């Protein structure tokens, strides 16, 4: 537990844990030239912290947008609904993003590894029996109604009423939720799984919703109810949303004013909706965005060009690895149901080209494992077994895997195995996700080179999500659990779980490729219930060995959990490794920087 909302982790601590998404007012003022951080437009001569990596700051905005935070990288397309239970909810109602409208009971801090207070001011563990949470004082929703412990308990009960919503997964980790009084919530840990880490993860990721609204929705309509006026406990409320932007206004009556020592510095948040990363990057470089979460190719060129652009780490990789985008393979498709074919695919991918071309060198060498090989997860990584039984980019070895399995190459250069032609297969990921789009092109080219018929297709995000969750895709690049209180267990579950997978056409939130295995559930249970690192390591060795044998999916790069990058044209005092009062995050504990950044002028 944390004694303070604002943490000061050391660089060493950060690196250790770090291994572990226009119109109107949007761009009314252009950013002026930058100045050095020691002589800002406010007239002070003191050195400014949280400025560009080149030591530069801007001169600030004035007028109507002086108190506005411009942000990007989370919403790609016109908002359809702000219902957090919808699989395609718009920002900021989408799952596990910025807690500015909806909030969670606890918050995860990637920089320190801590689980910090949220709507609950503290929590206590009773071994693997219970988690007891005490709510903050005076929590209210934006409509003025009070949050009670009974509301919290009812929130989790929604996952029982509709098993198709994400919070149904809570009941894999918990047996019961009780509210003995208005301020106390007692969660009984599942005595089948006894997975406290996963339960804590879910408490850091599950938004607490107003039961005055959601309690009136029919159970079968919970994920489909269209909402355009979200009511949450967060510091901002929605004022406008269309195909060009999402606009939020500060809730002056926000309950957290006392807890955070004041309200956020910003009075308004505008998220312009761009068609691609490039459009956002241009605005960001110009100082027309203050902070964003999206891929920037060769971001160092911005500060080398004099722009006051900054990242948390000042040297490469600039971002700390926290996730591993995966190539998902739909094992219900003929050809892809063959483990030899899947391993051949994994062996055919030019990972170095993805790292350098698609990721600007932000990714280290990818290992054949579902465990991040460095940082907090590194102690569980079996380097020797990965080298002996894994794979690496080797086109000749990939073809040999196919021919050893009996595949024959046709006159068109494409292999056939057991009467099934290997393709044509479509490789999908959302349009506008430029680093992933580029990765897919490299993968498709790699597969064609070994005799697999593969081409790319980049639908809108909502369409891509539906295809992946519904199991109607062939191949897809998608995300799995990043660093959190339950990894690497959660990542194995995401790829290999049998208990949560749904039939084709029904929404699933794990094992998108519908891979089948009779032994993996016991191994997942063993890992989740292990009480020390030695036992966990033994369990993860077994899981990773099975993973390398079956290859239901494969990592294609190591990616920051979130791309955290800021432009100090209008605000300074952003968190970075030299000014580490808050983690480089948007979700979870990342909300704390909203209270500490400072206006340059206006």
């Amino acid at each position: 537990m944390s004694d303070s909302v604002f943490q000061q982790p050391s660089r060493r601590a950060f690196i250790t844990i770090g291994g572990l998404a226009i119109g109107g007012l949007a761009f009314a003022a252009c950013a002026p030239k930058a100045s050095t951080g020691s002589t800002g437009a406010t007239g002070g001569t003191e050195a400014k912290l949280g400025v560009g990596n080149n030591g530069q700051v801007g001169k600030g905005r004035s007028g109507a947008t002086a108190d506005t935070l411009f942000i990007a990288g989370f919403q790609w397309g016109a908002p359809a609904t702000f219902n957090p239970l919808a699989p395609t909810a718009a920002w900021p109602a989408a799952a596990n993003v910025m807690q500015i409208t909806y909030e969670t009971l606890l918050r995860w801090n990637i920089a320190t590894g801590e689980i910090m207070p949220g709507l609950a001011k503290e929590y206590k563990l009773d071994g693997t029996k219970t988690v007891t949470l005490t709510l903050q004082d005076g929590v209210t929703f934006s409509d003025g109604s009070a949050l009670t412990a009974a509301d919290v308990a009812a929130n989790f009960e929604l996952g029982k009423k509709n098993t198709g919503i994400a919070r149904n997964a809570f009941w894999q980790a918990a047996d019961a939720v009780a509210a003995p009084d208005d301020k106390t919530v007692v969660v009984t840990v599942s005595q089948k799984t006894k997975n406290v880490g996963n339960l804590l993860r879910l408490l850091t990721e599950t938004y607490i919703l107003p039961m005055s609204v959601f309690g009136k929705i029919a159970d079968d309509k919970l994920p489909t109810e269209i909402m355009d006026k979200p009511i949450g406990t967060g510091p901002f409320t929605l004022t406008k949303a269309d195909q060009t932007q999402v606009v939020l206004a500060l809730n002056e009556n926000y309950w957290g004013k006392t807890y955070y020592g004041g309200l956020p510095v910003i009075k308004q948040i505008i998220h312009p909706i761009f068609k691609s990363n490039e459009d956002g990057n241009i605005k960001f470089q110009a100082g027309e965005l203050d902070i964003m979460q999206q891929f920037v190719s060769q971001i160092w060129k911005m500060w080398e060009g004099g722009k006051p652009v900054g990242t948390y780490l000042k040297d490469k990789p600039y971002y700390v690895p926290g996730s591993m985008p995966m190539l998902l393979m739909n094992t219900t498709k003929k050809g892809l149901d063959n483990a030899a074919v899947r391993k051949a695919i994994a062996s055919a991918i030019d990972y170095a080209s993805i790292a350098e071309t698609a990721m600007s060198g932000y990714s280290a060498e990818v290992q054949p494992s579902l465990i991040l090989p460095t940082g907090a997860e590194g102690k569980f990584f079996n380097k020797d077994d990965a080298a002996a039984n894994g794979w690496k980019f080797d086109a000749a070895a990939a073809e040999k895997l196919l021919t050893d399995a009996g595949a024959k190459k046709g006159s068109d250069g494409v292999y056939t195995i057991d009467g099934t032609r290997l393709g044509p297969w479509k490789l999908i990921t959302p349009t506008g996700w430029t680093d992933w789009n580029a990765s897919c092109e490299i993968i498709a080219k790699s597969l064609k080179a070994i005799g697999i018929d593969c081409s790319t297709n980049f639908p809108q995000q909502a369409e891509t999500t539906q295809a992946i969750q519904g199991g109607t895709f062939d191949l897809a690049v998608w995300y799995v659990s990043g660093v959190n209180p339950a990894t690497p267990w959660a990542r194995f579950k995401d790829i290999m779980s049998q208990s949560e997978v749904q039939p084709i056409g029904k929404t699933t939130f794990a094992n998108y490729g519908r891979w089948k295995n009779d032994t993996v559930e016991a191994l997942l249970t063993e890992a989740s219930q292990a009480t020390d690192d030695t036992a966990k390591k033994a369990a993860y060795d077994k899981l990773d060995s099975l993973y390398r044998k079956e290859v239901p999916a494969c990592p294609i790069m190591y990616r920051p959990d979130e791309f955290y990058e800021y432009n100090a044209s209008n605000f300074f005092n952003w968190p970075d490794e030299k000014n580490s009062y808050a983690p480089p995050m948007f979700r979870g504990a990342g909300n704390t920087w909203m209270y500490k950044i400072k206006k340059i002028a206006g």
Side-chain angles (χ1 to χ4, degrees), residues 9 14 111 310-314 318 564 566 575-578 580 582-584:
F14 179 80
T311 52
Y312 194 89
L313 299 179
K314 301 310 176 186
Y318 303 120
Y564 169 86
Y566 59 84
D576 62 27
E577 62 179 326
K578 300 177 181 178
S580 54

Side-chain angles (χ1 to χ4, degrees), residues 13-33:
F14 179 80
I15 292 294
T16 299
I17 298 299
L20 271 154
I22 301 180
L25 294 175
F27 299 110
C30 294
K33 279 189 176 182

Side-chain angles (χ1 to χ4, degrees), residues 235-288:
F236 288 86
T237 58
L238 180 70
T239 59
K240 180 180 180 180
D242 58 27
Q243 69 273 17
T244 66
Q245 61 185 346
V246 177
V247 182
L248 307 170
L250 180 65
N251 176 9
E252 299 286 349
N253 297 315
Y254 175 52
W255 69 268
K257 182 177 181 179
T258 301
Y259 176 68
Y260 287 106
L263 292 170
V265 175
I266 47 187
K267 303 298 183 184
Q268 181 179 233
I269 299 177
I270 295 180
H271 187 313
I273 298 173
F274 300 114
K275 292 182 179 180
S276 70
N277 278 13
E278 286 90 346
D279 294 338
N281 292 347
I282 291 170
K283 298 296 186 183
F284 178 69
Q285 181 168 324
E288 297 178 24

Side-chain angles (χ1 to χ4, degrees), residues 311-362:
T311 52
Y312 194 89
L313 299 179
K314 301 310 176 186
D315 299 312
K316 275 193 172 182
Y318 303 120
Y319 313 96
V320 176
S323 67
M324 52 174 77
M326 305 290 296
L327 174 64
L328 305 178
M329 306 180 222
N330 191 335
T331 65
T332 68
K333 304 280 185 176
K334 287 292 186 180
L336 293 173
D337 60 352
N338 189 312
V341 172
R342 299 194 298 269
K343 196 163 190 176
I345 288 173
S347 302
I349 298 171
D350 188 348
Y351 300 102
S353 290
I354 291 175
E356 292 302 318
T357 305
M359 281 293 292
S360 287
Y362 302 149

Side-chain angles (χ1 to χ4, degrees), residues 39-56:
T39 56
T42 55
T45 58
E46 75 284 354
K48 289 183 171 62
L49 298 174
V51 299
N53 284 10
N54 53 9
Q56 300 290 304

Side-chain angles (χ1 to χ4, degrees), residues 379-399:
K379 59 190 174 185
F380 302 125
F381 176 62
N382 192 325
K383 181 179 179 180
D384 292 338
D385 192 63
N389 299 304
W391 57 86
K392 59 183 179 180
F393 171 49
D394 187 332
E399 285 208 57

Side-chain angles (χ1 to χ4, degrees), residues 260-553:
Y260 287 106
L263 292 170
V265 175
I266 47 187
K267 303 298 183 184
Q268 181 179 233
I269 299 177
I270 295 180
H271 187 313
I273 298 173
F274 300 114
K275 292 182 179 180
S276 70
N277 278 13
E278 286 90 346
D279 294 338
N281 292 347
I282 291 170
K283 298 296 186 183
F284 178 69
Q285 181 168 324
E288 297 178 24
L289 291 173
D290 298 302
I291 191 167
M292 68 177 188
Q293 196 291 118
Q294 63 184 46
F295 176 77
V296 180
S297 177
Q298 300 178 328
I299 192 171
W300 59 86
K301 290 186 175 181
M302 291 189 179
W303 59 76
E304 287 177 355
K307 304 299 182 182
V309 168
T311 52
Y312 194 89
L313 299 179
K314 301 310 176 186
D315 299 312
K316 275 193 172 182
Y318 303 120
Y319 313 96
V320 176
S323 67
M324 52 174 77
M326 305 290 296
L327 174 64
L328 305 178
M329 306 180 222
N330 191 335
T331 65
T332 68
K333 304 280 185 176
K334 287 292 186 180
L336 293 173
D337 60 352
N338 189 312
V341 172
R342 299 194 298 269
K343 196 163 190 176
I345 288 173
S347 302
I349 298 171
D350 188 348
Y351 300 102
S353 290
I354 291 175
E356 292 302 318
T357 305
M359 281 293 292
S360 287
Y362 302 149
S363 175
E365 181 181 359
V366 173
Q367 299 295 320
S369 173
L370 290 182
I371 300 171
L372 283 166
T374 58
E377 294 181 16
K379 59 190 174 185
F380 302 125
F381 176 62
N382 192 325
K383 181 179 179 180
D384 292 338
D385 192 63
N389 299 304
W391 57 86
K392 59 183 179 180
F393 171 49
D394 187 332
E399 285 208 57
K400 187 174 187 302
L401 284 166
L402 293 175
T403 56
D404 285 353
K408 305 294 183 182
K409 184 176 284 188
S411 59
D412 59 357
V414 177
Y415 279 101
T416 297
I417 189 168
D418 296 331
T420 298
R421 186 176 185 271
L422 300 186
W425 291 327
K426 288 291 185 182
L427 171 56
I428 65 170
T429 209
T431 186
W433 294 19
T434 52
D435 52 331
W436 289 20
N437 296 161
S439 298
C440 286
E441 297 294 356
I442 293 170
I443 293 169
K445 181 179 178 181
S446 296
L447 298 189
K448 288 178 182 177
I450 68 159
I452 294 177
D453 186 358
C454 178
S455 60
T456 60
N457 181 36
F458 305 133
Q460 293 294 323
Q461 181 179 351
E463 183 182 346
T464 305
T465 301
Q466 291 170 353
I468 291 171
Q469 292 180 343
T472 59
F473 68 100
D474 299 326
L475 301 166
V477 168
W478 202 237
Y479 51 84
V480 291
S481 291
V483 179
N484 66 55
T487 54
W489 176 87
R491 201 172 300 119
F492 281 103
K493 177 192 71 71
D494 287 348
I495 294 298
M496 304 172 78
S497 172
Q498 304 295 299
S499 62
E500 294 185 39
V501 71
Q502 298 293 321
I504 296 295
K506 291 190 175 182
T507 298
T508 192
F509 299 103
N511 192 356
Y512 299 114
R514 271 72 174 179
W515 170 74
K516 293 182 179 180
N517 184 270
D518 294 332
T519 63
V520 69
E521 282 300 311
L523 296 179
L524 287 169
T525 298
E526 181 183 345
S528 70
Q529 295 183 2
T531 57
D532 58 61
D533 285 350
T534 299
K536 290 179 181 178
K537 174 69 164 60
Y540 287 133
D541 277 353
K542 296 174 190 176
L543 279 167
D544 229 11
S545 177
L546 177 61
Y547 163 73
R548 280 188 278 271
K549 178 182 176 181
E550 290 288 326
V551 201

Side-chain angles (χ1 to χ4, degrees), residues 52-64:
N53 284 10
N54 53 9
Q56 300 290 304
V57 295
K59 295 184 181 298
R61 289 189 295 265
S62 59

